[in-house]
Amino acid sequence: MADSSGINPQSPGFTEKLKSWLCWSWTYICALWFAMVLTMVYALRSPLKLQETVNAASVFLNTLTPKFYVALTGTSSLISGLILIFEWWYFRKYGTSFIEQVSVSHLRPLLGGVENSSSAGLFSSVNGDAEQRSNVAECKVWRNPLNLFRGAEYSRYTWVTGKEPLTYYDMNLSAQDHQTFFLGDTQQLRPEDAVMQKAWRERNPQARIRAAYQAIELNRECAAAYVLLAEEEATTIAEAERLFKQALKSAGKDTNLLVYIRRRLAMCARKLGHIKEAIKMMRDLMKEFPLLGMLNIHENLLEALLELQAYADVQAVLAKYDDISLPKSATICYTSALLKARAVSDKFSPETASRRGLSTAEMNAVEAIHRAVEFNPHVPKYLLEMKSLILPPEHILKRGDSEAVAYAFFHLQHWKRAEGALNLLHCTWEGTFRIIPYPLEKGHLFYPYPGCTETADRELLPSFHEVSVYPKKELPFFILFTAGLCSFCAMLAMLTHQFPELMGVFVKAFFSTLCAPLGFFADKMESFMPSCLWHQLTNV
């Protein structure tokens, strides 16, 4: 039985061999078929009157005026130019070539290439499944630990600029978070909870606010309703703080609500300038709920400690959370780099360092910067103000542009406060790319850079923001091809218009040279094959 199962035609190994053999043989069958067609066309040139047809075509082409060729080449240049413009626009918007995408998606499977995901999944290996799962994990979207208040901050930006700082995708993720966090047990929903469940799903802000008031009418102690009003209706941080305190009184023993409200109260205190009070509230939260590390409250604590310039306390927090077994973030990596850069940056000079070399402390600072840049290469351009900042989204993608925006928005001031830190960053950050020449294939201190960040960041960041792409993509082949075709056709049109007779001579010489190998091949065929065979074939 064991032997018979090993040669089972239905086994995956047999199927793979059969498919590979068919793909291998198909190429040679097509080549053989093409050669047979050419041979038959040549053999039947007399019955098909190919020579007369070619002569008639030559006479027709000779009667055409140069204006026709100018119009032909000009039209070709115009069409290829329009294709070039569309390809360039598509590449700028989606980061890929439209023609290449269509070719890979629809034509490659027909030509024996890689199959679509549905068929490939039937024969995927265990390693392939693990790799796919790791890619999904790498592109997981996280809630921004320092996300702003919609009513007091995001809405004010909209009032001033007329632009929406949050995308629908980002807000929809927040609605899902709130439903899961505040209304986890859907089997025991109270009337006010049902109203709030609907409120979080509303797209219209005013509809959400009305639903919150409706929930309060049903129950004056509905903490989730006060949370929504604090987030979306309050137009100042002080007003949001007042509503959160009201929600805290009504939260009861609901752990999720307590943690969320107390964290937002700590953020209100930080924004109102009560930094020591905010730090105490954050430390208490981390002490009471040590298992809620996924909420990244330590990142709020790090930012508040940096504002107080309590660098020893910042180092103590980093010693606990910058561990090899814990997930990293831009805040962890760049704060560690800031502390090491701050120790040497006030006396750092590129000229002096190039003459005497780097000291041990300077080398540690440069290595920390390289480590941070490898984790998130988008951050330095925002810290060095080479790219303009926008309001951070409510969700971020680690190692992506959205995380870089969120980090730089809150931490740029801390880098500016450390004398010379930005100068050291400016002189050393690009050296990271020499260490990792192929970041998508192999990393140095971290896993290879995920290739899915651009797509996710385009969903999280508003359309008026130019998403940072890493590594920089080269122009697709079809853009270069259409650019060359457009230029070539335009040049032919101009030359034909200016020098019609000379271009006519050139075209005739070109086609004569092009057809010479075919004539040579035909003569050899006639001398090689018996004349009687050709006579029999032509009489068929």
Side-chain angles (χ1 to χ4, degrees), residues 103-246:
S103 302
V104 171
S105 302
H106 301 286
L107 299 182
R108 192 175 178 185
L110 299 177
L111 298 177
V114 178
E115 290 145 353
N116 54 30
S117 57
S118 60
S119 60
L122 297 174
F123 307 103
S124 57
S125 63
V126 176
N127 293 334
D129 293 342
E131 183 179 357
Q132 185 177 6
R133 285 196 297 270
S134 66
N135 289 337
V136 173
E138 285 174 347
C139 293
K140 177 183 177 181
V141 174
W142 299 73
R143 188 163 180 84
N144 183 3
L146 287 83
N147 64 305
L148 304 177
F149 296 86
R150 286 191 186 178
E153 292 171 306
Y154 287 120
S155 295
R156 293 173 64 185
Y157 177 84
T158 304
W159 297 338
V160 173
T161 64
K163 297 178 179 179
E164 289 291 341
L166 297 176
T167 64
Y168 173 69
Y169 175 72
D170 191 14
M171 292 189 290
N172 187 49
L173 289 176
S174 296
Q176 295 175 18
D177 292 342
H178 291 144
Q179 289 182 77
T180 304
F181 208 61
F182 301 145
L183 307 168
D185 188 5
T186 57
Q187 300 296 326
Q188 300 178 357
L189 286 181
R190 298 168 296 180
E192 62 272 18
D193 293 334
V195 173
M196 289 307 301
Q197 188 177 42
K198 181 181 178 182
W200 295 122
R201 294 197 299 263
E202 289 285 354
R203 294 187 61 175
N204 189 334
Q206 295 304 318
R208 290 194 293 269
I209 293 172
R210 286 195 300 269
Y213 278 115
Q214 183 182 351
I216 293 174
E217 290 177 1
L218 294 172
N219 182 5
R220 301 290 299 178
E221 303 298 319
C222 183
Y226 290 111
V227 168
L228 189 147
L229 294 177
E231 292 284 356
E232 304 210 22
E233 188 185 39
T235 56
T236 63
I237 299 298
E239 186 180 354
E241 185 182 42
R242 179 184 63 80
L243 288 167
F244 275 121
K245 288 180 178 178
Q246 179 66 36

Side-chain angles (χ1 to χ4, degrees), residues 27-74:
T27 305
Y28 294 97
I29 291 174
C30 289
L32 181 61
W33 177 82
F34 185 70
M36 291 175 61
V37 168
L38 288 180
T39 304
M40 291 299 296
V41 168
Y42 179 79
L44 299 175
R45 65 188 186 280
S46 297
L48 296 177
K49 300 181 179 180
L50 293 181
Q51 187 65 37
E52 293 81 351
T53 305
V54 171
N55 292 335
S58 301
V59 172
F60 173 74
L61 293 175
N62 289 330
T63 58
L64 296 175
T65 62
K67 291 183 179 180
F68 170 80
Y69 294 104
V70 172
L72 178 63
T73 51

Side-chain angles (χ1 to χ4, degrees), residues 369-370 373 377 380-381 384 386 424-433:
I369 289 175
H370 287 176
V373 173
K381 287 189 176 182
L384 298 172
M386 300 166 65
L424 179 60
L425 177 69
H426 174 73
C427 296
T428 57
W429 75 279
E430 290 181 325
T432 310
F433 306 131

Side-chain angles (χ1 to χ4, degrees), residues 330 333-334 369-384 386-387 397-401 403-405 425 429-430 432-433 436 439-440 446-450 453 457 468-472:
C333 295
Y334 278 90
I369 289 175
H370 287 176
R371 171 178 179 260
V373 173
E374 181 185 352
F375 182 82
N376 193 316
H378 308 283
V379 172
K381 287 189 176 182
Y382 294 107
L383 293 180
L384 298 172
M386 300 166 65
K387 284 196 70 176
L397 181 68
K398 289 191 176 183
R399 306 187 75 177
D401 191 33
E403 185 191 35
V405 169
L425 177 69
W429 75 279
E430 290 181 325
T432 310
F433 306 131
I436 44 173
L440 298 178
F446 299 99
Y447 290 111
Y449 189 79
T453 57
D457 281 331
S468 177
V469 179
Y470 175 80
K472 283 291 183 183

